[in-house]
Amino acid sequence: MDQFATKPHDALAGALHSELDAVNALIREKMVSQHAPRIPEVTAHLIEAGGKRLRPMLTLAAARLCGYEGGFHIHLAATVEFIHTATLLHDDVVDESEQRRGRPTANLLWDNQSSVLVGDYLFARAFQLMVEPGNLRVLKILAGASATIAEGEVLQLTVAQDVSTSEDTYLQVIRGKTAALFSAATESGAVLAGAPEDHVRALTEYGDALGIAFQMADDLLDYLGDSGQTGKNIGDDFRERKLTLPVIRAIAKADEAERSFWERTIGRGRQQDGDLDTALSILARHKALESTRDSAYAWSDKARAALEILPESELRDILSDLASYVVSRLK
Amino acid sequence: MDQFATKPHDALAGALHSELDAVNALIREKMVSQHAPRIPEVTAHLIEAGGKRLRPMLTLAAARLCGYEGGFHIHLAATVEFIHTATLLHDDVVDESEQRRGRPTANLLWDNQSSVLVGDYLFARAFQLMVEPGNLRVLKILAGASATIAEGEVLQLTVAQDVSTSEDTYLQVIRGKTAALFSAATESGAVLAGAPEDHVRALTEYGDALGIAFQMADDLLDYLGDSGQTGKNIGDDFRERKLTLPVIRAIAKADEAERSFWERTIGRGRQQDGDLDTALSILARHKALESTRDSAYAWSDKARAALEILPESELRDILSDLASYVVSRLK
C-alpha cells in the first residue's frame, strides 16, 4: 500500500468533504421516524459504525466530474447509502451473521424482525429520496439497480453449495450483490449532471468494473488472509460453503479425488479438521489464487481505462487510484 | 351478507375485468427473473393463491372514476399488488407464520431467506413499475406509502405485548399496516387521472377510512369468530398477545384484577387453559366488542361519505357498497 501516500477513499473524502457532510446530515434527518424509535436506533447502529461511505462518494464524484452544480447529488448519494444499508440489514438476516464492521449485527442486538422491517423502511426512504431531483432516468437507474441487487442475492442463495456453479453465474452474483450499486452510483451522478452519453457510459463501466474488482479481491482475501484489516478469518467462505471464483476455477481443473473433496466439503458440508489446509493446497496446485488475482487486476485495469475519455482532473485521478487500491491488498 | 346480491369485490372485478386481466398479465410478466428462477416460484405461490386483488382494483376504480383514459393505471395497479405481496412475504417471516390464504407460507415451503430476498425483489419491481407513467406526484405517494407501511410494522413490533398501548398508537399501526396502501391505491389512481384536488382528497379519504374499517373488522372478528370464512380461529390475536382495539378498550376500563389478568396473559404471555374464555367475558362486561364494532361502522360511514362529492356512477356505487361490505361480517 506504500504506493498511496493518502488512501484514495480518504482523498475522495477530502475532496468532497463539504458535500459528504451534507449527505451525512441528510441521512440523519431521513432516518428519523416520528412513530417508531426503533428505526433510528437500528439504522444508527449500522450507519454510524464507521462505514467509509464509498458508494455515496462515487455518486458525488461522478456528478462533480461531469460538471454538476446543483444540490440534488446529495439526495442521490444518501439514496445509495440507504439502499446499501438496507441490503446489509437483510443480508445479515439471510446469512445469520453475528458480526459486521467489527460489531455485533443488528439481528443479534435486536432481532431478525427489526432487521427485516427497518431494512424495508430504509428501502422506502431511499425511494422517497431518489424522487426528489425529479429526474425519471435517474429513477429508472436506481430502481433497476435495486432489482438487480435482490436478484443477485436470490441467485447466490439458490446456487450456494452447488459445486457445478459456473464463472458466468459467479459474475452474475457479484454484479448483483456488489457491482450493480457501484455502477448505479456513478451512472446516476453522471445522468443527474446531464453529461454526454459517452461520459455516462464511461462512468457506468467504471462503477461496474470497480465493483467486480472489489468483490473478487474480497473473495480472494478470504483465502489469502488480510493481515487483520477486514477482521475476517482465512477460510470463512470455505466454512460457509460459498462458491467463489478461486474454488470455481479449482473445481474446473479438479481430478477425481479433488472433485470428491469439493463435493464433500462444499457440496455436502461434511467438513473436518485439516480440510481448509487441503483446500488451500488444491487451490495452490491449480494456481487458482493467482488466476483470480489476475482477473481482479484485469477488472481494475478496465475500470481505470474507462475513465480515460473524461477530462483530466484531480477527482478523475483519485477514482483511478481507487481502482488500483481495491486490488492493491492482493500484492 | 344477504344485502349484497353480488359481493362488491366481485362486482368491481366484473366492472373492471379487462383491465384486471391486463394487470394480471403485467404481474406475470414482471415477476419473471432471467437469472433466479426461485423468484417467480415464490411469487407465484403467493400471487396466484386466490387473493382478491382488492388493492389494485381500488387503483383501477379510482382512475376510471376520475375519467382516466390512458393505460398507466395498469402499471400502478400492478405496483400496488407487488408492494402488498412483498409486505406479505416479509410479514410471514416476522410473524413466523405457517399459513396464509389456507396454504403453507413461502417461509415454510422455501425458507426465510427466500422470503426476505424475493420480497426485496418485488419492492424493487414495484418501484420500477411506478416510474413508468412518469408522474412524480404518483411516485411520491407510493414511495411515501411504502415508508408508512414499514414504519407501521416496526411500530407494531415495538408495542407488541405492551398493555399500555393507546388507541392512538393502535390507529397508527393499522394506518401503517393496512390503510396506507389502500389510500395510496386510490389517491395514485386519482392523481394519475389528473382529477381536481377535491376529488383526489375524497378518494384518499375513502381509501384511508376503508382500510381502517377493514382492519378493525378483522381485529374484531378475531374475537367474534367468522363462521370459517377467513380460516382464522377465535382468539389467535389473544394467543399471539396482539394489542388490538377490543383489548385496548377493555384495558382502559379494567379493575385491578382484570389489569393483572391482561398483564399476565398479554404482557407476560403466561397463558393457561380457560384464559380465552375469561378474556371474552371481560370484553363482554365492558362492551369492548360492541364499541369496536361501532368504531368500524363509523369508519365505514366515513368512507361512504367521502365518495359523495364524486359524480354518480356505477363504480362509485360499488365502492360505496364495498365500504358497507367490509363491516357487514360483524352483524
Side-chain angles (χ1 to χ4, degrees):
Chain A
M1 246 140 300
D2 302 320
Q3 81 222 70
F4 299 102
T6 308
K7 287 181 188 171
H9 45 78
D10 291 337
L12 259 188
L16 300 165
H17 89 271
S18 64
E19 286 149 298
L20 204 52
D21 285 350
V23 172
N24 285 326
L26 187 60
I27 285 174
R28 275 192 296 273
E29 180 193 327
K30 296 296 180 184
M31 75 190 197
V32 165
S33 153
Q34 202 190 332
H35 306 306
R38 172 76 51 90
I39 290 174
E41 286 167 27
V42 173
T43 308
H45 171 73
L46 202 60
I47 227 158
E48 287 170 2
K52 292 190 286 295
R53 303 280 195 272
L54 183 57
R55 294 157 188 81
M57 288 199 296
L58 291 174
T59 303
L60 297 175
R64 280 268 301 272
L65 264 177
C66 296
Y68 183 64
E69 294 187 342
F72 282 126
H73 58 331
I74 306 298
H75 295 75
L76 296 189
T79 294
V80 163
E81 187 69 2
F82 272 166
I83 293 175
H84 177 54
T85 308
T87 61
L88 295 184
L89 281 169
H90 286 184
D91 280 359
D92 285 341
V93 171
V94 166
D95 293 343
E96 300 173 4
S97 308
E98 300 186 346
Q99 285 244 329
R100 158 91 56 197
R101 294 173 183 164
R103 303 170 66 189
T105 53
N107 43 309
L108 201 71
L109 282 184
W110 288 272
D111 44 46
N112 281 343
Q113 285 99 318
S114 296
S115 291
V116 170
L117 297 175
V118 174
D120 289 351
Y121 183 75
L122 295 180
F123 269 129
R125 284 306 226 183
F127 284 103
Q128 285 184 299
L129 274 166
M130 73 173 81
V131 175
E132 295 283 314
N135 185 314
L136 286 170
R137 187 167 162 200
V138 161
L139 288 167
K140 286 185 186 174
I141 293 164
L142 291 167
S146 304
T148 304
I149 292 168
E151 204 173 10
E153 304 267 10
V154 176
L155 181 62
Q156 174 170 261
L157 191 68
T158 50
V159 302
Q161 303 152 21
D162 176 355
V163 295
S164 71
T165 302
S166 68
E167 285 203 24
D168 276 356
T169 300
Y170 169 77
L171 204 61
Q172 224 132 53
V173 167
I174 69 172
R175 273 215 155 93
K177 66 187 255 194
T178 307
L181 194 54
F182 277 62
S183 67
T186 46
E187 184 181 11
S188 60
V191 166
L192 180 70
E197 281 313 308
D198 55 345
H199 290 191
V200 172
R201 212 160 31 239
L203 281 160
T204 309
E205 276 177 30
Y206 168 80
D208 179 61
L210 179 72
I212 292 172
F214 179 93
Q215 188 60 51
M216 279 186 181
D218 215 54
D219 290 344
L220 182 50
L221 286 171
D222 203 86
Y223 288 99
L224 285 180
D226 191 22
S227 345
Q229 282 195 48
T230 60
K232 286 174 75 173
N233 303 309
I234 287 197
D236 277 349
D237 286 349
F238 178 73
R239 279 182 290 272
E240 290 167 21
R241 305 159 63 195
K242 285 190 186 161
L243 268 291
T244 58
L245 192 54
V247 174
I248 289 169
R249 289 200 171 151
I251 290 174
K253 294 186 177 173
D255 62 25
E256 212 163 311
E258 289 169 357
R259 173 162 290 279
S260 320
F261 171 81
W262 296 118
E263 276 170 0
R264 170 174 65 77
T265 55
I266 300 226
R268 297 195 302 280
R270 301 264 155 81
Q271 299 191 7
Q272 59 205 34
D273 280 356
D275 278 345
L276 178 59
D277 288 336
T278 308
L280 287 168
S281 74
I282 299 176
L283 292 171
R285 186 174 317 145
H286 295 301
K287 301 197 189 310
L289 300 182
E290 289 89 327
S291 114
T292 300
R293 180 160 55 195
D294 290 344
S295 296
Y297 284 155
W299 284 103
S300 163
D301 290 344
K302 196 169 177 229
R304 272 196 311 279
L307 296 174
E308 276 168 20
I309 68 152
L310 297 167
E312 270 190 66
S313 72
E314 187 205 352
L315 270 178
R316 196 194 75 166
D317 292 343
I318 301 177
L319 290 186
S320 181
D321 284 350
L322 182 63
S324 307
Y325 181 76
V326 297
V327 294
S328 68
R329 300 173 296 169
L330 306 179
K331 287 258 160 71
Chain B
M1 245 140 300
D2 302 321
Q3 82 221 71
F4 300 102
T6 308
K7 287 182 187 172
H9 45 77
D10 291 337
L12 259 187
L16 300 165
H17 89 269
S18 64
E19 286 150 298
L20 204 52
D21 286 348
V23 172
N24 285 328
L26 187 60
I27 285 174
R28 276 192 296 272
E29 181 193 327
K30 296 295 179 183
M31 74 190 197
V32 165
S33 153
Q34 203 191 330
H35 306 306
R38 173 76 51 90
I39 291 174
E41 285 167 27
V42 173
T43 307
H45 171 72
L46 202 59
I47 226 159
E48 287 169 3
K52 291 189 287 293
R53 303 278 195 273
L54 183 56
R55 293 157 187 81
M57 287 199 295
L58 289 175
T59 302
L60 298 175
R64 279 267 301 271
L65 264 177
C66 295
Y68 184 64
E69 294 186 344
F72 282 125
H73 58 330
I74 307 297
H75 295 75
L76 296 189
T79 294
V80 163
E81 186 69 2
F82 271 166
I83 294 175
H84 177 55
T85 307
T87 61
L88 295 185
L89 281 169
H90 286 186
D91 280 359
D92 285 341
V93 171
V94 166
D95 293 343
E96 299 173 4
S97 308
E98 300 185 347
Q99 286 244 328
R100 157 94 53 199
R101 295 174 183 164
R103 302 171 66 189
T105 53
N107 43 310
L108 201 71
L109 281 184
W110 289 272
D111 44 46
N112 281 343
Q113 286 99 319
S114 297
S115 292
V116 170
L117 296 174
V118 174
D120 288 352
Y121 183 74
L122 295 180
F123 269 129
R125 284 305 226 183
F127 283 104
Q128 286 184 299
L129 274 166
M130 74 172 82
V131 174
E132 296 282 314
N135 185 315
L136 286 169
R137 187 168 163 201
V138 160
L139 287 168
K140 286 187 187 176
I141 293 164
L142 291 168
S146 303
T148 304
I149 292 168
E151 204 172 11
E153 304 266 11
V154 177
L155 181 63
Q156 174 171 262
L157 190 68
T158 51
V159 303
Q161 302 151 21
D162 176 355
V163 295
S164 71
T165 302
S166 69
E167 285 202 23
D168 276 357
T169 299
Y170 169 77
L171 204 61
Q172 226 130 53
V173 167
I174 68 173
R175 275 214 155 94
K177 66 187 254 192
T178 307
L181 193 55
F182 277 62
S183 66
T186 47
E187 185 181 9
S188 60
V191 166
L192 180 70
E197 282 312 308
D198 55 345
H199 289 190
V200 172
R201 213 159 30 239
L203 280 160
T204 309
E205 276 177 31
Y206 169 80
D208 178 62
L210 179 72
I212 292 172
F214 179 93
Q215 188 60 51
M216 278 186 181
D218 214 53
D219 291 344
L220 182 51
L221 286 172
D222 202 85
Y223 287 99
L224 284 179
D226 192 23
S227 345
Q229 283 196 46
T230 59
K232 286 174 73 171
N233 302 309
I234 286 197
D236 277 347
D237 286 349
F238 177 75
R239 279 182 290 271
E240 291 167 19
R241 303 158 64 195
K242 285 191 186 160
L243 268 291
T244 58
L245 193 54
V247 173
I248 290 169
R249 290 202 170 149
I251 289 175
K253 293 186 176 173
D255 61 27
E256 212 163 310
E258 290 169 357
R259 171 162 290 277
S260 319
F261 171 81
W262 295 118
E263 277 170 358
R264 171 175 65 77
T265 54
I266 299 223
R268 295 194 302 281
R270 301 265 153 80
Q271 298 192 8
Q272 59 205 35
D273 280 356
D275 278 345
L276 177 60
D277 288 336
T278 308
L280 288 168
S281 74
I282 299 175
L283 292 171
R285 186 173 318 144
H286 296 301
K287 301 198 189 308
L289 301 181
E290 288 90 328
S291 115
T292 299
R293 179 160 56 195
D294 289 345
S295 296
Y297 283 156
W299 284 102
S300 163
D301 289 346
K302 197 169 175 228
R304 273 196 310 279
L307 296 173
E308 276 168 20
I309 68 152
L310 297 166
E312 271 190 66
S313 72
E314 187 204 354
L315 270 178
R316 196 194 76 166
D317 291 343
I318 301 177
L319 290 185
S320 181
D321 284 350
L322 181 64
S324 307
Y325 181 75
V326 297
V327 293
S328 69
R329 300 173 296 168
L330 307 179
K331 286 260 160 69

